[in-house]
Amino acid sequence: MQDLGRESSAIRRSIEIITLVIAGETVFFLPFVLPRVFRPTLLEVFQLTNFELGIAFSVYGVIAMLAYFPGGPLADRFAARKLMAFALLATSLGGLMLMSIPSFTVVKVLYGFWGVTTILLFWAPLIRATRAWGGAKLPGRAFGILDGGRGLVAAGIGSGAVALFSFFMPDEVQSATPDQRSKAFQQVILMFSGITFFAAVLVWVALGRQSDRGDDSRDEITHDTTLPPKGVRGVLRMPTVWLQAIVVVCAYVGYKGLDDVSLYAHEVLDFNEVQSARVGTLSMWIRPFAAVAAGLLADRFGVARMTMLSLLIFGIGSAVIASGGFRPGMNTFFFATLISTSAAVFALRGLYFAMMEDGRVPLGDTGTAVGIVSGVGYTPDVFMGPLMGFLLDRWPGELGHQFFFAVLTLAAIIGLAASMSFWRMAHRRQQVGI
């Protein structure tokens, strides 16, 4: 009977993490994966400039920044299953509006709406449920699987979307009429909306009522119960939380910077629309392997150490692109740089929330800490879109891309300094047993 119970528990835990992985990525398909993979096409179909698209991202970022703080305590109080399922359903309905190819004003409203659905109702419950799943002994594995799995979902669906888009486009992509391009792109939007709706149903059915409370009682992975909740004021006074927030800011600048790779390939290396979209999906395929590997290595060598290494590689790769050394035909060098830089950025996504264990954040304050760290850490949603648009529109061609990747290099340097401070602080606490 005990063996059957363990087997049942293992199956339930597997279903839980798979569901969190699928939901955790599909909720961002419409606002982020769509423009990342199809940025040149999106700009043309919606008749937007890079700066205007950046403004839409900024609207999302402002709403999200305001939503992170109340969203954290909300996740500590209400059922994750209900919050996440409703958020996914609402997000998918927004996709149906986007499918009508609305005006720029409506696009901005949609991005503000998605800021509420994906952040206020979804983000903190996702992180809290993942931390509870991993426990104190396997934080790296939990968040590595989450982000690596999310990357696998994004890459698989992204590749499918590119194939769908290619199917509805003429054989000679460059000869496509505006109407053909628009109809093909609408099919991609519909696909993303349908998958997001499916994820809402999956969360409601697969997580079940037991997951609403979290399963923190497992003896083999239980959190340190000697850490009582500190409350909002107590968490605000924790220096490790603020250092973690700085790391997230810098890592997220790198993540947002990957939005430029498909356009870079199109404008600098002369790739066509389908080829540049494939470049975007290649970057996404790196994510599952990088995040999972970083999580597993972090549980062995330390989260802070792996974070520092990832920031160093991210900085070097960004500096190489900023140097302007690529020309059409230099594909091998370009792809090697893209793969290493993307691996470092996606490794960071599998690491930076695992830092909570080393930072000694009580489990009961997870939602609050997520709200604070995310509210600060995801501010690039506010400024990176307009900044990217301004640089690319102000200095068309390669020079604008060089300036943009110089910004990424600076972010990597700042993040590396913050992660080193976090490591020293966590190391001292371990030595004195705090």
Side-chain angles (χ1 to χ4, degrees):
M1 291 297 292
Q2 287 183 341
D3 290 340
L4 288 175
R6 290 194 186 97
E7 183 178 349
S8 176
S9 177
I11 293 173
R12 178 173 59 82
R13 278 173 50 75
S14 298
I15 292 173
E16 285 177 358
I17 194 63
I18 291 171
T19 300
L20 291 173
V21 163
I22 293 173
E25 187 58 28
T26 54
V27 77
F28 296 110
F29 272 178
L30 289 162
F32 291 121
V33 175
L34 186 70
R36 167 162 291 171
V37 177
F38 297 96
R39 188 181 184 96
T41 305
L42 186 149
L43 293 175
E44 188 164 347
V45 169
F46 283 82
Q47 292 295 293
L48 299 175
T49 66
N50 282 296
F51 184 72
E52 286 173 332
L53 181 58
I55 291 297
F57 287 146
S58 185
V59 171
Y60 175 96
V62 170
I63 299 298
M65 186 175 62
L66 297 174
Y68 280 120
F69 295 103
L74 198 69
D76 287 334
R77 183 173 180 183
F78 295 102
R81 168 174 168 259
K82 295 176 182 177
L83 290 172
M84 292 170 63
F86 182 76
L88 286 158
L89 175 62
T91 301
S92 70
L93 295 177
L96 298 181
M97 175 63 71
L98 188 70
M99 190 178 169
S100 67
I101 316 297
S103 66
F104 176 48
T105 299
V106 176
V107 170
K108 289 187 289 185
V109 172
L110 266 177
Y111 268 85
F113 171 73
W114 283 330
V116 173
T117 62
T118 62
I119 302 305
L120 179 67
L121 302 177
F122 187 89
W123 184 245
L126 173 69
I127 300 301
R128 192 184 197 285
T130 303
R131 189 185 179 198
W133 186 91
K137 295 183 179 179
L138 302 174
R141 179 177 301 182
F143 286 101
I145 291 174
L146 176 69
D147 204 74
R150 287 176 61 194
L152 186 62
V153 171
I157 301 301
S159 296
V162 172
L164 180 68
F165 179 70
S166 179
F167 176 79
F168 283 99
M169 290 282 279
D171 293 335
E172 292 294 329
V173 177
Q174 303 292 5
S175 66
T177 66
D179 185 59
Q180 287 175 317
R181 185 176 287 105
S182 178
K183 287 183 177 179
F185 196 53
Q186 284 176 311
Q187 297 304 311
V188 174
I189 297 172
L190 179 62
M191 172 185 171
F192 281 0
S193 298
I195 292 172
T196 307
F197 176 80
F198 166 77
V201 176
L202 180 64
V203 165
W204 187 260
V205 174
L207 288 187
R209 297 183 181 276
Q210 191 171 15
S211 65
D212 287 347
R213 300 185 297 273
D215 189 3
D216 310 324
S217 60
R218 297 181 296 274
D219 293 337
E220 69 273 18
I221 59 173
T222 186
H223 293 269
D224 187 351
T225 56
T226 64
L227 296 175
K230 298 174 179 290
V232 176
R233 291 184 180 180
V235 174
L236 283 170
R237 288 195 293 265
M238 297 180 67
T240 53
V241 169
W242 292 103
L243 289 171
Q244 182 182 359
I246 294 173
V247 170
V248 175
V249 169
C250 298
Y252 199 61
V253 164
Y255 177 69
K256 297 294 289 182
L258 293 180
D259 285 347
D260 188 38
V261 297
S262 62
L263 191 62
Y264 180 91
H266 183 62
E267 293 186 347
V268 178
L269 304 180
D270 295 336
F271 287 24
N272 66 36
E273 289 179 71
V274 173
Q275 290 172 330
S276 62
R278 286 173 179 159
V279 170
T281 56
L282 171 63
S283 175
M284 292 162 59
W285 273 109
I286 298 165
R287 180 178 173 185
F289 305 102
V292 172
L296 294 174
L297 290 171
D299 285 338
R300 182 172 182 180
F301 299 108
V303 173
R305 288 190 182 94
M306 290 304 302
T307 300
M308 289 186 286
L309 177 61
S310 299
L311 283 161
L312 179 62
I313 296 173
F314 159 44
I316 293 172
S318 298
V320 169
I321 299 176
S323 69
F326 295 116
R327 293 291 180 271
M330 298 178 64
N331 293 350
T332 301
F333 186 25
F334 168 69
F335 282 119
T337 304
L338 173 64
I339 289 170
S340 59
T341 306
S342 298
V345 169
F346 290 131
L348 288 167
R349 289 179 59 82
L351 292 169
Y352 50 50
F353 279 109
M355 294 170 72
M356 285 187 183
E357 291 297 333
D358 285 350
R360 303 286 285 173
V361 175
L363 178 62
D365 289 322
T366 299
T368 299
V370 168
I372 295 168
V373 170
S374 300
V376 175
Y378 291 127
T379 51
D381 277 333
V382 178
F383 64 81
M384 281 298 289
L387 176 62
M388 178 179 173
F390 170 76
L391 293 174
L392 297 182
D393 290 341
R394 176 66 177 80
W395 292 280
E398 184 179 9
L399 186 58
H401 294 285
Q402 284 182 262
F403 286 150
F404 183 65
F405 277 93
V407 171
L408 304 191
T409 304
L410 177 61
I413 293 171
I414 295 172
L416 181 59
S419 64
M420 292 172 67
S421 297
F422 180 95
W423 176 81
R424 285 194 295 266
M425 189 170 295
H427 187 63
R428 283 199 302 268
R429 287 184 174 183
Q430 289 176 356
Q431 286 182 324
V432 299
I434 297 177

